[in-house]
Amino acid sequence: MKYAFPDNFWWGSASSALQTEGAREGETTWDYWFAREPNRFHNGVGPQQTSTFYQHWKTDIQLLKQLNHNSFRTSISWARLIPDGIGEVNPEAVDFYNQVIDELNEQGITPFITLFHFDMPMAMQEIGGWENRDVVDAYARYAQICFELFGDRVLHWFTFNEPIVPVEGGYLYDFHYPNVVDFRRAATAAYHTVLAHAKAVQAYRAGHYAGEIGIVLNLTPSYPRSQNPADVKAAHVADLMFNRSFLDPVLRGEYPADLVALLKSYDQLPACKPEDGFLIAEGKIDLLGVNYYQPRRVKCRDSAVNPQAPFMPEWFFDSYEMPGRKMNPYRGWEIYEPGIYDILVNLRDNYGNPRCFISENGMGVENEQRFIENGQINDQYRIEFISEHLAWLHKGISEGCNCLGYHMWTFIDNWSWCNAYKNRYGFIQLDLKTQQRTIKKSGEWFAATALNNSFDKE
Ligand code: BGP
């Protein structure tokens, strides 16, 4: 069967500043944490060992062109642009981002720019990070500076990438700095992130820029083990906590009432100001980026909660390992292609069918060198992964979902937070020692698909 996509469908990939650029002086929480606890990073490889986009941006953009990208998302590093978070703008950073943006546009690759991709300037973390409202204001100023500097040439802005991840990692599950385990502090960080988002949207609208502004959320559909009401309720709470805590404010302009009631009953609500409600209502977006990697399967808890343990989302559900599930063993994530369709249908039916696109989808695989044939990684598994997800996305579009594009994670193998270079995601293989780039089979497949705006599959 031939899967053809609408005209002007966005074909591309996503990356982020911290994971690719290198050569940065402005310190982030990642640099700080790595200097103190290198053992927390796979093979002790830290955030300065990147794919050197800062040096190779021009030839890398040539490679994007070779992959027939018509769009590409990366982020601006707040710490590079404003090293202390609130003070002077670094002119070298302005030059760098100007060059990248101009070159992308010249090559016919539409730049999609994220303002915050997990990379908090350390100076901002020192005053409390997202727990401090002053950081919300500092972020709003940074966003406004970016709009003023680049808003004439960047028409697709994203305030945050996966804003729940720093909350989960930094304040609940110990996989980001500051390694706190405290739900109320997590809720405060999440709430302030929503306020920061809304302030950036407000500033963008006030500037009457030509483009659009949105956010990128990692939506993990919550599937209950069964239709037993206890399982259904467990899945509902997981959905409220992990999806709707950001999805509802940015698309509906308010939090789900049952999420607020639940947190209130456990005394976990952040401190709110009366004017916050208006601000959140103004944060409604033009465009939603959806990152989809895996579903969340849950069941009701089998055991009683330990009242001495810290309050956690898992007080309301257990994860469920569905027999027969398909796994990506390297990342430990389930692969469930219909999830992409379920997300789009949910957006269509329950959120007014917003303009959206798949902003990340991908498969990290370890030791890909074993698949080298004639000097090239033959990553057939990745081609299957993409084409199966695209088939479900296509079904969604044919049923009226407003999905405008598909971006892969990622372009060139890059540094992946605590996993460093363990799992490789790129269309292009990176030799870390020589920095040599070699297109994988999946890169060629994607280039052909983007060129034809379609692919064939049985
Ligand atoms: C997303 C992030 C990316 C990227 C990707 C792969 O959550 O937006 O930055 O890293 O996941 O995940 P990981 O690197 O953890 O394997």
Side-chain angles (χ1 to χ4, degrees), residues 224-290:
R225 167 181 59 181
S226 73
Q227 286 308 306
N228 184 296
D231 285 343
V232 171
K233 191 173 167 207
H236 176 66
V237 175
D239 186 39
L240 284 177
M241 296 231 186
F242 295 110
N243 297 319
R244 295 186 57 194
S245 53
F246 281 93
L247 189 60
D248 281 40
V250 304
L251 286 178
R252 294 184 174 153
E254 60 185 15
Y255 280 94
D258 43 356
L259 175 62
V260 176
L262 180 73
L263 298 193
K264 193 162 185 223
S265 67
Y266 286 88
D267 194 25
Q268 298 290 335
L269 277 182
C272 306
K273 290 189 179 174
E275 63 271 24
D276 291 350
F278 296 105
L279 178 61
I280 293 169
E282 296 215 332
K284 284 204 250 173
I285 55 172
D286 307 315
L287 173 65
L288 177 69
V290 175

Side-chain angles (χ1 to χ4, degrees), residues 15-16 19 73 117-118 161-162 165 175 216 218 291 293 331 333 360 362 364 409-410 414-420 423 425:
S15 70
S16 84
Q19 292 175 275
R73 180 168 68 99
H117 195 127
F118 307 170
N161 177 80
E162 301 190 351
V165 169
F175 62 89
V216 169
N218 50 316
N291 291 358
Y293 288 89
R331 191 60 179 82
W333 287 346
E360 282 181 33
W409 186 268
T410 184
N414 65 23
W415 183 81
S416 266
W417 318 110
C418 297
N419 281 327
N423 306 313
Y425 284 85

Side-chain angles (χ1 to χ4, degrees), residues 43-84:
N43 285 347
V45 173
Q48 290 287 356
Q49 266 172 277
T50 65
S51 38
T52 56
F53 186 68
Y54 193 76
Q55 284 86 23
H56 291 111
W57 57 271
K58 197 156 190 177
T59 44
D60 280 355
I61 293 173
Q62 281 307 316
L63 288 170
L64 287 173
K65 184 97 190 133
Q66 231 174 298
L67 296 178
N68 291 324
H69 279 34
N70 59 21
S71 44
F72 173 63
R73 180 168 68 99
T74 188
S75 67
I76 290 175
S77 160
W78 183 0
R80 183 189 295 285
L81 195 72
I82 308 172
D84 67 358

